Amino acid sequence: MFTLPGLGYDFNALEPYIDGRTMEIHHGKHHAAYVTNLNAALDAAGGAGADKGLDHLLANLDAVPEAQRTAVRNNGGGHWNHSLFWNLMTAGGNDAVSPELAAALEKELGGLDAFRDAFAKAATTRFGSGWAWLVVKDGALKVLSTPNQDNPLMDAGGTPILALDVWEHAYYLKYQNRRPEYIENWWKVVDWSAVSRLYQADRG
Ligand code: MN3
């Protein structure tokens, strides 16, 4: 059985960029529902190999019985994506990009500013609901986006080290239809030390 992880900070810790009411609903209602629904689907599927962990489950959705596969994809993805997302933000944010990640961003994506533009474009142009990602794929950084609660684990697209939720539930109370403004402000709460740790972990 999967459980809802704690946030690690108060609901209002990311204000004024992400409001406390949004965080409370997003974590306590949306993410909680993904966990509940994932557990129900796995229960109905007789476990479906969930004992091997969520990463393994999402990378091997074909092994899930067809009757539960969509529910596991949507809710398992939702649980995985949000569990990462919360850990990539911190009160006030920080710019602690590791020298190794800074060098890779420079060499592979044209530097931090060019990366941010590419990431914001991926997040802005994702039609409807989905996520923007910075992943490490075969040792190289890549920017991409996915629809719904899909993530790069599902199609071997790489290991995510940064993620942004662009579902309306992530920003609508404060920003309504202004997704670009939400994205611009979100950079101010990004925990680059956490992103750098994930990059180092993938590099071994
Ligand atoms: Mn969400």
Side-chain angles (χ1 to χ4, degrees), residues 42-148:
L42 291 172
D43 195 38
D51 53 315
K52 291 177 183 157
L54 190 53
D55 289 48
H56 182 87
L57 188 66
L58 297 179
N60 297 277
L61 285 168
D62 286 351
V64 177
E66 197 173 353
Q68 285 86 33
R69 194 175 302 152
T70 299
V72 170
R73 180 183 197 122
N74 291 339
N75 295 289
H79 177 37
W80 196 96
N81 298 350
H82 289 85
S83 298
L84 174 67
F85 185 51
W86 311 136
N87 288 334
L88 297 172
M89 299 184 286
T90 190
N94 67 62
D95 295 325
V97 182
S98 69
E100 294 83 2
L101 178 55
L105 284 167
E106 190 68 40
K107 182 166 177 248
E108 297 163 25
L109 296 176
L112 189 57
D113 288 345
F115 156 68
R116 281 170 46 132
D117 287 348
F119 189 92
K121 186 179 179 193
T124 305
T125 58
R126 165 50 56 190
F127 185 76
S129 299
W131 291 76
W133 307 94
L134 174 62
V135 305
V136 184
K137 166 75 170 168
D138 299 328
L141 295 171
K142 280 181 68 175
V143 173
L144 48 92
S145 76
T146 55
N148 306 312

Side-chain angles (χ1 to χ4, degrees), residues 84 88 136 159-162 193-203:
L84 174 67
L88 297 172
V136 184
T159 304
I161 64 171
L162 183 62
S193 64
V195 181
S196 297
R197 279 195 301 275
L198 290 174
Y199 180 71
Q200 294 309 129
D202 189 80
R203 306 290 284 175

Side-chain angles (χ1 to χ4, degrees), residues 26 30 34 82 131 149 165 167 169-170:
H26 199 175
H30 290 278
Y34 297 129
H82 289 85
W131 291 76
Q149 295 296 354
D165 187 344
W167 283 57
H169 69 221

